[in-house]
Amino acid sequence: MTVPLDHDDPAKGTIRVALARIPATAPGRHHLGSLLLNFGGPGGRGTTSLAADPATFAKLGERYDLVTFDPRGVGLSEPVSCGGSQEVGDRVPADAASQLAALRAVARRCALHSGPVLPYVGTVQVARDMEVIRRALGERKLNYLGFSYGTRLGAVYAALFPRRTGRMVLDGVDTLGEPLAEQALASARGRQRALERFLTWCVHRQSCVYGTNTRTAKERVDDLVARLDRDPLIGDDGSWFTGQDAVDAIATALYAQAAWPALADALALAERRHDPVGLMQLGGPTGPVPDAGDGPATVPADNAEAALTAVNCADDPDRSEDRAAPMAIEREIRDLEPEFRAVSEVFGPGQLGTVLACYGRPAGTDFIRRIDHPGAPRMLLVGTRGDPATPYEWTEETARRLGSAVIVDHKGDGHTGYGTSACVRGYADAFLTEGRLPHGTRACPAGE
């Protein structure tokens, strides 16, 4: 599909957005038209996500054509790239000026490798692409199911086009208003909460490497990360595995409760045999994604990472460099460090490093931060209590901002609830297919 590069100035040219559709399997007279899905990110590809797991949405797919897309800057839709990794270190070193100079260099490299689309990524632009999609599908209103970052996208669409918003379900609700530092702190807190829920589960298993006490288990994970940062494990291939590598692996496993047994086994292997292979496998490989149709032969290996930063920065109006010199920024970060460590010794330091992710980039829009009761129809929001990526508090905050939301309080674990909870899926499917929406907050127990 062709959309304007800049919706505010169509004369600047156009870009192409890749879409995918699975036609309804039992349309008949009960056909409901199209349901647009976004599976999260920023940087997540809708086209490959739907292809990888259509069975989860089989009931919706009976009456809806399931439609998804790669948002601009992602996958087959003019992918952005930084020509490699954006890593410049997890903490601000003594030489803050060098750290900030490195961040500016990364920003310049991203602009060089991404081409003209980079200044026009961001949730507001993608939401306006969604309005073009609605018109192209011939739908009077947009029916939508969004997960994680897709909830931010859905909320922004509802704020921009409240009269065109149809039945909307947002699962794993993202924040709309917090500055980057507050988002990072909330993320560290959410991941720590999820880790402690995992450890509570682990210590009730006979084979848990950390014994039977949750408090001491937490201390031993803290010790493992600190020890590996001081003295990394070395894999059979000679690669080094640090404490921050372990943090990344643990965080990945916490996204799905089904991965908890593998995480328990991986931690046991690291503790008992000093072997990082289990944790390394949890992290998962990354690399170029083959193109399934027209467009570039491959998606850049760093596209997901580059798009994640580009979109988050486009959505954030704050910039440290506009108000402080390098030494003042270093002082600000060091002042924040005790608070981040108090929230989580495991996840706090790494999340603190994301506070400066947008340094050297233009300030983003303040539109998302200003969303306040836009007048959209009632919609369904799902928050999971043990979610490591989108803390439950964000569900309540976004519901207040939208002013027209019903919450499903999922008491379970993992990131989002639709794919793992029949209770959540029941509420979502009933609303999307029949328009039935409960009044007030509803609860879904863990495991149901």
Side-chain angles (χ1 to χ4, degrees):
M1 182 185 71
T2 299
V3 299
L5 174 66
D6 181 355
H7 284 277
D8 291 325
D9 187 0
K12 290 181 179 177
T14 60
I15 58 173
R16 295 201 309 166
V17 170
L19 297 96
R21 173 167 56 186
I22 300 177
T25 56
R29 62 188 180 89
H30 298 295
H31 188 219
L32 295 171
S34 298
L35 176 69
L36 189 66
L37 298 97
N38 180 280
F39 300 91
R45 294 184 58 184
T47 56
T48 53
S49 295
L50 181 59
D53 187 23
T56 296
F57 309 98
K59 182 174 181 180
L60 292 173
E62 292 176 359
R63 300 176 62 187
Y64 276 111
D65 297 337
L66 302 179
V67 179
T68 189
F69 65 110
D70 291 354
R72 58 170 62 205
V74 175
L76 303 181
S77 300
E78 313 290 337
V80 297
S81 171
C82 296
S85 174
Q86 299 178 80
E87 292 296 327
V88 293
D90 293 321
R91 299 173 180 82
V92 176
D95 184 1
S98 296
Q99 173 83 348
L100 298 176
L103 287 166
R104 287 194 298 271
V106 168
R108 289 194 298 270
R109 195 166 68 240
C110 296
L112 177 66
H113 287 273
S114 295
V117 73
L118 184 61
Y120 304 101
V121 299
T123 301
V124 173
Q125 294 281 1
V126 177
R128 296 177 76 173
D129 291 343
M130 288 166 55
E131 173 62 5
V132 180
I133 293 173
R134 179 196 66 78
R135 295 198 302 266
L137 293 170
E139 301 292 347
R140 189 174 65 86
K141 293 189 175 183
L142 184 74
N143 296 321
Y144 179 79
L145 174 58
F147 299 95
S148 194
Y149 164 73
T151 68
R152 190 197 314 172
L153 191 51
V156 170
Y157 180 89
L160 287 168
F161 306 104
R163 295 182 180 179
R164 296 299 184 188
T165 301
R167 298 171 184 174
M168 183 171 284
V169 174
L170 309 180
D171 182 5
V173 183
D174 202 354
T175 181
L176 298 180
E178 290 186 337
L180 284 177
E182 294 303 318
Q183 289 185 44
L185 190 63
S187 293
R189 186 181 295 112
R191 291 182 179 190
Q192 181 65 30
R193 184 186 302 137
L195 174 61
E196 291 173 7
R197 290 169 73 110
F198 159 76
L199 291 172
T200 298
W201 169 86
C202 182
V203 299
H204 286 88
R205 299 173 81 225
Q206 189 173 4
S207 60
C208 185
V209 70
Y210 294 128
T212 60
N213 184 287
T214 302
R215 182 180 61 80
T216 56
K218 172 184 170 298
E219 292 171 354
R220 290 187 63 186
V221 173
D222 293 350
D223 290 343
L224 174 67
V225 171
R227 186 169 71 249
L228 293 182
D229 275 335
R230 292 191 306 269
D231 186 15
L233 295 177
I234 302 177
D236 292 338
D237 61 353
S239 60
W240 286 42
F241 190 82
T242 68
Q244 290 310 301
D245 293 328
V247 169
D248 292 341
I250 292 168
T252 299
L254 293 175
Y255 266 58
Q257 192 174 17
W260 286 10
L263 176 58
D265 292 344
L267 289 169
L269 196 61
E271 294 281 15
R272 290 174 176 149
R273 300 186 184 177
H274 308 290
D275 187 344
V277 67
L279 290 169
M280 293 171 73
Q281 290 172 344
L282 288 173
T286 59
V289 180
D291 180 15
D294 294 338
T298 60
V299 176
D302 71 330
N303 174 240
E305 179 189 18
L308 174 84
T309 302
V311 173
N312 283 337
C313 295
D315 289 356
D316 184 85
D318 299 327
R319 290 296 180 270
S320 296
E321 61 184 328
D322 293 335
R323 63 178 186 271
M327 294 308 295
I329 293 174
E330 179 187 5
R331 188 163 54 250
E332 177 185 350
I333 295 296
R334 294 199 185 284
D335 288 346
L336 286 171
E337 185 170 5
E339 185 177 8
F340 275 73
R341 285 195 176 277
V343 165
S344 175
E345 281 287 341
V346 172
F347 300 110
Q351 286 298 304
L352 178 60
T354 69
V355 171
L356 291 178
C358 297
Y359 187 87
R361 299 174 186 247
T365 180
D366 67 348
F367 176 85
I368 302 172
R369 198 170 288 180
R370 292 187 288 106
I371 292 175
D372 183 23
H373 292 71
R378 295 173 74 222
M379 62 188 73
L380 187 68
L381 272 57
V382 179
T384 297
R385 291 287 177 166
D387 196 317
T390 51
Y392 183 81
E393 306 90 270
W394 287 355
T395 304
E396 296 178 318
E397 171 218 324
T398 298
R400 287 192 296 268
R401 297 276 301 281
L402 292 171
S404 56
V406 172
I407 293 175
V408 171
D409 179 357
H410 178 219
K411 308 294 186 181
D413 294 286
H415 185 37
T416 73
Y418 185 92
T420 57
S421 168
C423 176
V424 168
R425 200 158 49 249
Y427 279 116
D429 288 354
F431 176 49
L432 289 170
T433 59
E434 302 170 23
R436 290 193 283 117
L437 193 64
H439 289 275
T441 299
R442 291 293 184 270
C444 280
E448 296 183 13

PDB file of all heavy atoms in Angstrom, residues 51 57 67 97 115 123 139 160 173-175 205 222 264 296 302 314 327 353 402 406 416 429 440:
ATOM      1  N   ALA A  51       1.723 -14.733  10.284  1.00  0.00           N
ATOM      2  CA  ALA A  51       2.028 -15.974   9.569  1.00  0.00           C
ATOM      3  C   ALA A  51       2.524 -17.057  10.516  1.00  0.00           C
ATOM      4  O   ALA A  51       2.265 -18.249  10.314  1.00  0.00           O
ATOM      5  CB  ALA A  51       3.073 -15.705   8.481  1.00  0.00           C
ATOM      6  N   PHE A  57      -5.671 -16.987  16.630  1.00  0.00           N
ATOM      7  CA  PHE A  57      -6.753 -16.076  16.262  1.00  0.00           C
ATOM      8  C   PHE A  57      -7.802 -16.760  15.383  1.00  0.00           C
ATOM      9  O   PHE A  57      -8.557 -16.106  14.666  1.00  0.00           O
ATOM     10  CB  PHE A  57      -6.165 -14.854  15.539  1.00  0.00           C
ATOM     11  CG  PHE A  57      -5.038 -14.225  16.297  1.00  0.00           C
ATOM     12  CD1 PHE A  57      -3.715 -14.522  15.981  1.00  0.00           C
ATOM     13  CD2 PHE A  57      -5.279 -13.393  17.368  1.00  0.00           C
ATOM     14  CE1 PHE A  57      -2.673 -13.965  16.698  1.00  0.00           C
ATOM     15  CE2 PHE A  57      -4.244 -12.833  18.100  1.00  0.00           C
ATOM     16  CZ  PHE A  57      -2.928 -13.123  17.762  1.00  0.00           C
ATOM     17  N   VAL A  67      -6.075  -8.910   9.225  1.00  0.00           N
ATOM     18  CA  VAL A  67      -5.177  -8.039   8.462  1.00  0.00           C
ATOM     19  C   VAL A  67      -4.101  -7.511   9.399  1.00  0.00           C
ATOM     20  O   VAL A  67      -4.379  -7.143  10.542  1.00  0.00           O
ATOM     21  CB  VAL A  67      -5.944  -6.859   7.832  1.00  0.00           C
ATOM     22  CG1 VAL A  67      -4.998  -5.945   7.047  1.00  0.00           C
ATOM     23  CG2 VAL A  67      -7.066  -7.363   6.922  1.00  0.00           C
ATOM     24  N   ALA A  97      31.349  13.070  28.534  1.00  0.00           N
ATOM     25  CA  ALA A  97      31.366  13.721  27.221  1.00  0.00           C
ATOM     26  C   ALA A  97      31.606  12.703  26.112  1.00  0.00           C
ATOM     27  O   ALA A  97      30.990  12.780  25.043  1.00  0.00           O
ATOM     28  CB  ALA A  97      32.441  14.806  27.195  1.00  0.00           C
ATOM     29  N   GLY A 115      17.824   6.493   5.411  1.00  0.00           N
ATOM     30  CA  GLY A 115      17.201   7.181   4.295  1.00  0.00           C
ATOM     31  C   GLY A 115      16.099   8.133   4.733  1.00  0.00           C
ATOM     32  O   GLY A 115      15.979   8.490   5.907  1.00  0.00           O
ATOM     33  N   THR A 123       4.668   6.813  16.261  1.00  0.00           N
ATOM     34  CA  THR A 123       3.328   6.266  16.417  1.00  0.00           C
ATOM     35  C   THR A 123       2.255   7.127  15.766  1.00  0.00           C
ATOM     36  O   THR A 123       1.285   6.600  15.210  1.00  0.00           O
ATOM     37  CB  THR A 123       3.032   6.062  17.913  1.00  0.00           C
ATOM     38  OG1 THR A 123       4.021   5.174  18.459  1.00  0.00           O
ATOM     39  CG2 THR A 123       1.660   5.464  18.136  1.00  0.00           C
ATOM     40  N   GLU A 139     -13.690  -0.166   5.128  1.00  0.00           N
ATOM     41  CA  GLU A 139     -14.391  -0.296   6.401  1.00  0.00           C
ATOM     42  C   GLU A 139     -14.884   1.067   6.899  1.00  0.00           C
ATOM     43  O   GLU A 139     -14.162   2.055   6.843  1.00  0.00           O
ATOM     44  CB  GLU A 139     -13.468  -0.909   7.461  1.00  0.00           C
ATOM     45  CG  GLU A 139     -12.936  -2.286   7.108  1.00  0.00           C
ATOM     46  CD  GLU A 139     -14.016  -3.350   7.087  1.00  0.00           C
ATOM     47  OE1 GLU A 139     -15.136  -3.092   7.580  1.00  0.00           O
ATOM     48  OE2 GLU A 139     -13.751  -4.443   6.566  1.00  0.00           O
ATOM     49  N   LEU A 160      -6.768  10.259  17.498  1.00  0.00           N
ATOM     50  CA  LEU A 160      -6.765  10.992  16.229  1.00  0.00           C
ATOM     51  C   LEU A 160      -8.083  10.852  15.477  1.00  0.00           C
ATOM     52  O   LEU A 160      -8.557  11.820  14.847  1.00  0.00           O
ATOM     53  CB  LEU A 160      -5.636  10.484  15.331  1.00  0.00           C
ATOM     54  CG  LEU A 160      -4.206  10.868  15.689  1.00  0.00           C
ATOM     55  CD1 LEU A 160      -3.222  10.049  14.865  1.00  0.00           C
ATOM     56  CD2 LEU A 160      -3.977  12.364  15.451  1.00  0.00           C
ATOM     57  N   VAL A 173      -0.975  -3.212  28.135  1.00  0.00           N
ATOM     58  CA  VAL A 173      -1.150  -1.795  27.808  1.00  0.00           C
ATOM     59  C   VAL A 173       0.095  -0.970  28.115  1.00  0.00           C
ATOM     60  O   VAL A 173       0.629  -0.986  29.225  1.00  0.00           O
ATOM     61  CB  VAL A 173      -2.377  -1.226  28.542  1.00  0.00           C
ATOM     62  CG1 VAL A 173      -2.614   0.214  28.147  1.00  0.00           C
ATOM     63  CG2 VAL A 173      -3.613  -2.069  28.217  1.00  0.00           C
ATOM     64  N   ASP A 174       0.521  -0.239  27.099  1.00  0.00           N
ATOM     65  CA  ASP A 174       1.696   0.622  27.171  1.00  0.00           C
ATOM     66  C   ASP A 174       1.329   1.950  27.832  1.00  0.00           C
ATOM     67  O   ASP A 174       0.155   2.338  27.892  1.00  0.00           O
ATOM     68  CB  ASP A 174       2.210   0.873  25.750  1.00  0.00           C
ATOM     69  CG  ASP A 174       3.667   1.279  25.704  1.00  0.00           C
ATOM     70  OD1 ASP A 174       4.275   1.475  26.770  1.00  0.00           O
ATOM     71  OD2 ASP A 174       4.208   1.388  24.586  1.00  0.00           O
ATOM     72  N   THR A 175       2.346   2.669  28.293  1.00  0.00           N
ATOM     73  CA  THR A 175       2.121   3.996  28.848  1.00  0.00           C
ATOM     74  C   THR A 175       1.948   5.019  27.730  1.00  0.00           C
ATOM     75  O   THR A 175       2.493   4.863  26.641  1.00  0.00           O
ATOM     76  CB  THR A 175       3.297   4.417  29.750  1.00  0.00           C
ATOM     77  OG1 THR A 175       3.037   5.718  30.306  1.00  0.00           O
ATOM     78  CG2 THR A 175       4.597   4.466  28.979  1.00  0.00           C
ATOM     79  N   ARG A 205       9.553 -25.999  43.482  1.00  0.00           N
ATOM     80  CA  ARG A 205       9.938 -27.192  42.718  1.00  0.00           C
ATOM     81  C   ARG A 205      11.109 -27.869  43.431  1.00  0.00           C
ATOM     82  O   ARG A 205      12.027 -27.201  43.902  1.00  0.00           O
ATOM     83  CB  ARG A 205      10.355 -26.824  41.292  1.00  0.00           C
ATOM     84  CG  ARG A 205       9.299 -26.160  40.470  1.00  0.00           C
ATOM     85  CD  ARG A 205       9.890 -25.694  39.147  1.00  0.00           C
ATOM     86  NE  ARG A 205       9.996 -26.772  38.159  1.00  0.00           N
ATOM     87  CZ  ARG A 205      11.057 -26.990  37.412  1.00  0.00           C
ATOM     88  NH1 ARG A 205      12.161 -26.261  37.576  1.00  0.00           N
ATOM     89  NH2 ARG A 205      11.055 -27.956  36.509  1.00  0.00           N
ATOM     90  N   ASP A 222      20.796 -11.988  42.248  1.00  0.00           N
ATOM     91  CA  ASP A 222      21.574 -10.747  42.276  1.00  0.00           C
ATOM     92  C   ASP A 222      23.069 -11.064  42.265  1.00  0.00           C
ATOM     93  O   ASP A 222      23.855 -10.445  41.532  1.00  0.00           O
ATOM     94  CB  ASP A 222      21.237  -9.925  43.531  1.00  0.00           C
ATOM     95  CG  ASP A 222      19.820  -9.378  43.534  1.00  0.00           C
ATOM     96  OD1 ASP A 222      19.146  -9.469  42.492  1.00  0.00           O
ATOM     97  OD2 ASP A 222      19.387  -8.867  44.585  1.00  0.00           O
ATOM     98  N   ALA A 264      14.604 -22.083  34.692  1.00  0.00           N
ATOM     99  CA  ALA A 264      15.069 -22.758  35.911  1.00  0.00           C
ATOM    100  C   ALA A 264      16.225 -23.704  35.596  1.00  0.00           C
ATOM    101  O   ALA A 264      17.228 -23.747  36.322  1.00  0.00           O
ATOM    102  CB  ALA A 264      13.907 -23.516  36.555  1.00  0.00           C
ATOM    103  N   PRO A 296      12.908  -5.243  -0.543  1.00  0.00           N
ATOM    104  CA  PRO A 296      14.322  -5.549  -0.377  1.00  0.00           C
ATOM    105  C   PRO A 296      14.540  -7.035  -0.149  1.00  0.00           C
ATOM    106  O   PRO A 296      13.679  -7.746   0.346  1.00  0.00           O
ATOM    107  CB  PRO A 296      14.713  -4.736   0.864  1.00  0.00           C
ATOM    108  CG  PRO A 296      13.438  -4.507   1.592  1.00  0.00           C
ATOM    109  CD  PRO A 296      12.373  -4.414   0.546  1.00  0.00           C
ATOM    110  N   ASP A 302      19.767  -5.240  12.102  1.00  0.00           N
ATOM    111  CA  ASP A 302      19.520  -4.385  13.263  1.00  0.00           C
ATOM    112  C   ASP A 302      18.208  -3.617  13.146  1.00  0.00           C
ATOM    113  O   ASP A 302      17.967  -2.688  13.912  1.00  0.00           O
ATOM    114  CB  ASP A 302      20.674  -3.401  13.456  1.00  0.00           C
ATOM    115  CG  ASP A 302      20.713  -2.321  12.385  1.00  0.00           C
ATOM    116  OD1 ASP A 302      20.278  -2.591  11.239  1.00  0.00           O
ATOM    117  OD2 ASP A 302      21.171  -1.194  12.676  1.00  0.00           O
ATOM    118  N   ALA A 314      10.773   9.284  18.621  1.00  0.00           N
ATOM    119  CA  ALA A 314       9.797  10.113  17.913  1.00  0.00           C
ATOM    120  C   ALA A 314       8.569  10.382  18.774  1.00  0.00           C
ATOM    121  O   ALA A 314       7.865  11.381  18.566  1.00  0.00           O
ATOM    122  CB  ALA A 314       9.382   9.431  16.611  1.00  0.00           C
ATOM    123  N   MET A 327      28.495  17.168  31.943  1.00  0.00           N
ATOM    124  CA  MET A 327      28.731  16.860  33.347  1.00  0.00           C
ATOM    125  C   MET A 327      27.430  16.893  34.142  1.00  0.00           C
ATOM    126  O   MET A 327      27.240  16.111  35.077  1.00  0.00           O
ATOM    127  CB  MET A 327      29.748  17.836  33.940  1.00  0.00           C
ATOM    128  CG  MET A 327      31.143  17.707  33.331  1.00  0.00           C
ATOM    129  SD  MET A 327      31.761  15.999  33.355  1.00  0.00           S
ATOM    130  CE  MET A 327      31.891  15.730  35.124  1.00  0.00           C
ATOM    131  N   GLY A 353      20.410   2.684  31.723  1.00  0.00           N
ATOM    132  CA  GLY A 353      21.150   2.997  30.507  1.00  0.00           C
ATOM    133  C   GLY A 353      20.276   3.431  29.355  1.00  0.00           C
ATOM    134  O   GLY A 353      20.763   4.034  28.390  1.00  0.00           O
ATOM    135  N   LEU A 402      -7.880   7.614  28.396  1.00  0.00           N
ATOM    136  CA  LEU A 402      -8.845   7.429  27.316  1.00  0.00           C
ATOM    137  C   LEU A 402     -10.262   7.763  27.770  1.00  0.00           C
ATOM    138  O   LEU A 402     -11.072   8.255  26.983  1.00  0.00           O
ATOM    139  CB  LEU A 402      -8.782   5.991  26.791  1.00  0.00           C
ATOM    140  CG  LEU A 402      -7.488   5.622  26.055  1.00  0.00           C
ATOM    141  CD1 LEU A 402      -7.449   4.123  25.781  1.00  0.00           C
ATOM    142  CD2 LEU A 402      -7.366   6.396  24.748  1.00  0.00           C
ATOM    143  N   VAL A 406     -12.912  -0.286  29.520  1.00  0.00           N
ATOM    144  CA  VAL A 406     -13.211  -1.323  30.503  1.00  0.00           C
ATOM    145  C   VAL A 406     -11.954  -2.180  30.657  1.00  0.00           C
ATOM    146  O   VAL A 406     -11.329  -2.552  29.660  1.00  0.00           O
ATOM    147  CB  VAL A 406     -14.397  -2.191  30.044  1.00  0.00           C
ATOM    148  CG1 VAL A 406     -14.575  -3.391  30.960  1.00  0.00           C
ATOM    149  CG2 VAL A 406     -15.666  -1.363  29.995  1.00  0.00           C
ATOM    150  N   THR A 416       1.265  -9.969  28.116  1.00  0.00           N
ATOM    151  CA  THR A 416      -0.071 -10.009  27.513  1.00  0.00           C
ATOM    152  C   THR A 416      -0.824 -11.256  27.967  1.00  0.00           C
ATOM    153  O   THR A 416      -0.230 -12.210  28.504  1.00  0.00           O
ATOM    154  CB  THR A 416      -0.051  -9.934  25.966  1.00  0.00           C
ATOM    155  OG1 THR A 416       0.405 -11.160  25.412  1.00  0.00           O
ATOM    156  CG2 THR A 416       0.821  -8.787  25.490  1.00  0.00           C
ATOM    157  N   ASP A 429     -12.852 -11.862  22.551  1.00  0.00           N
ATOM    158  CA  ASP A 429     -13.575 -12.370  21.391  1.00  0.00           C
ATOM    159  C   ASP A 429     -15.045 -11.972  21.436  1.00  0.00           C
ATOM    160  O   ASP A 429     -15.642 -11.652  20.397  1.00  0.00           O
ATOM    161  CB  ASP A 429     -13.446 -13.892  21.312  1.00  0.00           C
ATOM    162  CG  ASP A 429     -12.062 -14.354  20.898  1.00  0.00           C
ATOM    163  OD1 ASP A 429     -11.219 -13.483  20.561  1.00  0.00           O
ATOM    164  OD2 ASP A 429     -11.800 -15.582  20.920  1.00  0.00           O
ATOM    165  N   GLY A 440     -17.460  -1.999  34.154  1.00  0.00           N
ATOM    166  CA  GLY A 440     -16.530  -2.086  35.256  1.00  0.00           C
ATOM    167  C   GLY A 440     -15.441  -3.118  35.020  1.00  0.00           C
ATOM    168  O   GLY A 440     -15.472  -3.889  34.053  1.00  0.00           O
TER     169      GLY A 440
END
